[in-house]
Amino acid sequence: MKETSGSVPISTRLERIATLARQLRDQPLTTLAHHIDLDWLHEAHRRTRKDGATGVDGQTADEYATHLEDNLRSLLERAKSGTYRAPPVRRTYIPKDSGEMRPLGIPTFEDKVLQRAVAMVLEAVYEQEFLDCSYGFRTGRSANQALDVLHREASKMAGGWVIEIDIRTYFDSIDHGRLREILRGRIRDGVILRLIGKWLNAGVLEDGRVIYPESGSPQGGVVSPVLANIFLHEVLDGWFEREVRPCLRGRAHLLRYADDALLLFEYEEDARRVMFVLPKRFGKYGLTLHPDKTRLVPFQRPDRMERTRGGDDGPDEPGTFDFLGFTIHWAKSPMTGRWVVKTRTAADRFRLTLKRISQWCKANRHAPLETQQRVLNQKLRGHYGYYGRKGNRARLWALLHWVVPRWWRWLRRRSQRGLTWDAMNRLLQRYPLLTPALAARA
């Protein structure tokens, strides 16, 4: 039965969509767009970030909110009638860690609101499809949960063999035709599919000219993360669970956060068989694996390797690999002397954090000291919050150890008199930086 505006809370309606998706798991859903009414758009507006850059129309979130009710009513009518025109995305560039420039798409604010409304429907449907192995852009799931599972499973099987998967320019390589085909397998609502199609074809405005990419998710779009998850769920997650796992000799686990994925195998022969077919599987959907960064890593527990090494021409030492900003490695526990799986901040992430903080100190060296202390502590708190995993304490303290002299370096240049190290120590007593220990107790 079609609901009237305001009659049912949005959370209840989202749960009804989820229940319907579970009940009709093997059937396409044909009636979803009726859930998107004025109340739904109000909730989508509430969930949309208000501090982003403006799109091609130059309209800010505050300007849109001035006549919010009228704007949302007009948006709803255009979306339902098919007269809504997805505006081009404004392209800008931001520097990458390598020194290259990364393209960034900026939709209009109104487009973000409508994309959020559709994303809410898609998430309610596909959360019933997604598997436990995926953690990116999903409510209630996090990178640290994925790392916890990796730690547990690698410990259980004493390491094993790991395939690191690196997809070349994934978000720019999603094949539009394949994506539409995947969506139609689950969703047959004309309004929803038409809107997604418009976003895929909206084009990108750059240097006064609109170009129309033939692949890629909507650049900068609110709906992009869920579309990217839907695509990789079909390409990798579902395929691995349905077709690969039943054919393996031993245990195996897939972990994926957005396009960052790895496979953990108990036996080398299983890992090599899957490694051989992966490029063909991804190529079928128009995706390319990076030939150097997609690699097979031996990760057996060192004492187990010692017992099995005789006559084996395999590696003498277990490898390490990076996942979600951490380097995963074996080390002996100082308490028990046993080999355990440990995580430490990956070297490239450590250097990047330090570089960004140093650049901020340089750019803001003339700001009031209270402001500098507050912002630096915010940056440190964020780093400690993500990287503060068990066994990584030394790397947290190392970051603080390196941040202090960089702050001092740029404070010295505030005046010709400079700043001695003794004076810096006195300054740190008045404006202390957050330590990992204090952050843990907060």
Side-chain angles (χ1 to χ4, degrees):
M1 182 175 67
K2 188 173 181 178
E3 299 140 346
T4 59
S5 177
S7 62
V8 182
I10 300 299
S11 59
T12 302
R13 292 156 67 180
L14 286 168
E15 181 54 39
R16 287 183 179 178
I17 296 174
T19 300
L20 181 67
R22 286 193 296 270
Q23 292 173 345
L24 303 178
R25 192 174 295 275
D26 299 323
Q27 302 177 40
L29 305 177
T30 58
T31 56
L32 293 170
H34 70 274
H35 291 282
I36 302 178
D37 59 10
L38 195 58
D39 289 337
W40 193 279
L41 287 183
H42 271 288
E43 177 63 16
H45 174 267
R46 187 188 70 81
R47 297 187 185 190
T48 302
R49 284 186 55 181
K50 312 298 191 296
D51 57 351
T54 59
V56 295
D57 61 356
Q59 187 177 48
T60 66
D62 289 340
E63 291 169 345
Y64 192 81
T66 302
H67 303 287
L68 182 61
E69 195 74 14
D70 291 340
N71 286 334
L72 293 183
R73 286 185 184 278
S74 171
L75 178 61
L76 179 64
E77 194 280 329
R78 286 177 283 138
K80 291 297 184 70
S81 66
T83 60
Y84 180 78
R85 296 185 63 185
V89 171
R90 181 171 69 85
R91 175 176 282 174
T92 186
Y93 290 86
I94 57 174
K96 295 173 62 175
D97 305 337
S98 61
E100 300 175 352
M101 301 301 288
R102 181 195 305 276
L104 182 67
I106 304 175
T108 64
F109 182 76
E110 182 175 69
D111 206 40
K112 291 178 184 177
V113 173
L114 187 55
Q115 287 193 34
R116 175 61 67 193
V118 171
M120 288 162 58
V121 175
L122 293 177
E123 287 164 359
V125 171
Y126 279 96
E127 273 300 316
Q128 319 317 310
E129 306 288 322
F130 292 154
L131 303 178
D132 286 341
C133 60
S134 67
Y135 292 85
F137 306 119
R138 295 181 63 188
T139 303
R141 289 177 158 253
S142 68
N144 270 290
Q145 289 176 334
L147 289 162
D148 288 340
V149 173
L150 173 60
H151 183 278
R152 183 179 70 243
E153 298 302 330
S155 299
K156 277 184 186 178
M157 64 174 68
W161 294 77
V162 171
I163 295 177
E164 290 184 275
I165 297 176
D166 188 280
I167 309 170
R168 275 183 166 168
T169 59
Y170 171 62
F171 287 91
D172 294 332
S173 302
I174 296 175
D175 183 271
H176 290 175
R178 283 286 192 176
L179 176 58
R180 290 190 181 94
E181 179 184 330
I182 292 169
L183 287 168
R184 283 195 297 268
R186 194 69 178 103
I187 294 177
R188 298 282 176 85
D189 185 293
V191 172
I192 299 293
L193 292 177
R194 183 169 61 240
L195 286 171
I196 293 173
K198 289 184 177 184
W199 288 318
L200 292 175
N201 296 325
V204 177
L205 177 65
E206 183 175 12
D207 297 329
R209 186 170 61 94
V210 178
I211 59 175
Y212 298 93
E214 296 181 358
S215 63
S217 59
Q219 286 204 5
V222 175
V223 76
S224 288
V226 66
L227 292 179
N229 259 346
I230 291 169
F231 199 73
L232 267 187
H233 170 78
E234 175 66 24
V235 175
L236 180 60
D237 305 358
W239 168 74
F240 183 78
E241 190 65 30
R242 293 188 312 268
E243 301 181 31
V244 176
R245 189 192 296 277
C247 299
L248 300 178
R249 175 187 165 209
R251 292 172 292 176
H253 295 275
L254 164 64
L255 292 168
R256 182 175 67 79
Y257 190 96
D259 61 331
D260 197 348
L262 63 82
L263 294 160
L264 175 65
F265 299 89
E266 183 177 8
Y267 295 119
E268 179 182 4
E269 63 188 83
D270 287 339
R272 293 196 179 279
R273 287 170 60 199
V274 175
M275 183 72 172
F276 179 76
V277 299
L278 274 177
K280 184 180 296 186
R281 175 65 185 180
F282 279 80
K284 178 181 177 182
Y285 290 84
L287 301 175
T288 304
L289 297 180
H290 196 291
D292 299 323
K293 296 180 181 179
T294 299
R295 63 190 188 114
L296 178 61
V297 181
F299 194 65
Q300 287 182 300
R301 198 173 66 201
D303 61 335
R304 175 164 292 191
M305 294 182 71
E306 290 169 2
R307 292 197 302 267
T308 61
R309 189 182 302 160
D312 186 5
D313 58 358
D316 290 338
E317 298 294 339
T320 64
F321 59 94
D322 289 354
F323 187 55
L324 301 178
F326 289 88
T327 295
I328 318 299
H329 64 105
W330 286 103
K332 282 194 174 182
S333 167
M335 301 294 293
T336 65
R338 296 178 179 175
W339 287 103
V340 293
V341 177
K342 290 209 169 188
T343 55
R344 64 172 180 262
T345 309
D348 60 340
R349 296 295 183 92
F350 186 91
R351 289 192 299 269
L352 176 60
T353 300
L354 193 58
K355 177 182 177 182
R356 288 176 173 171
I357 290 178
S358 181
Q359 289 173 340
W360 187 91
C361 290
K362 177 183 178 181
N364 296 273
R365 62 186 181 275
H366 295 295
L369 290 174
E370 294 90 343
T371 301
Q372 294 190 49
Q373 178 207 29
R374 176 176 54 81
V375 175
L376 286 174
N377 280 338
Q378 288 174 348
K379 293 179 181 295
L380 289 170
R381 187 185 300 277
H383 185 90
Y384 298 158
Y386 182 77
Y387 290 99
R389 292 183 60 82
K390 183 178 180 181
N392 197 38
R393 185 167 175 263
R395 297 290 281 177
L396 303 186
W397 282 98
L399 179 69
L400 180 62
H401 172 78
W402 283 101
V403 165
V404 170
R406 278 156 177 77
W407 192 23
W408 172 58
R409 172 187 175 186
W410 294 112
L411 288 178
R412 288 176 62 193
R413 303 193 181 189
R414 281 162 60 108
S415 69
Q416 293 182 344
R417 292 180 298 175
L419 180 70
T420 66
W421 187 247
D422 287 340
M424 181 65 185
N425 284 326
R426 291 193 296 272
L427 183 146
L428 286 169
Q429 292 177 359
R430 292 182 59 192
Y431 306 100
L433 294 183
L434 186 67
T435 67
L438 288 175
R441 291 197 291 269

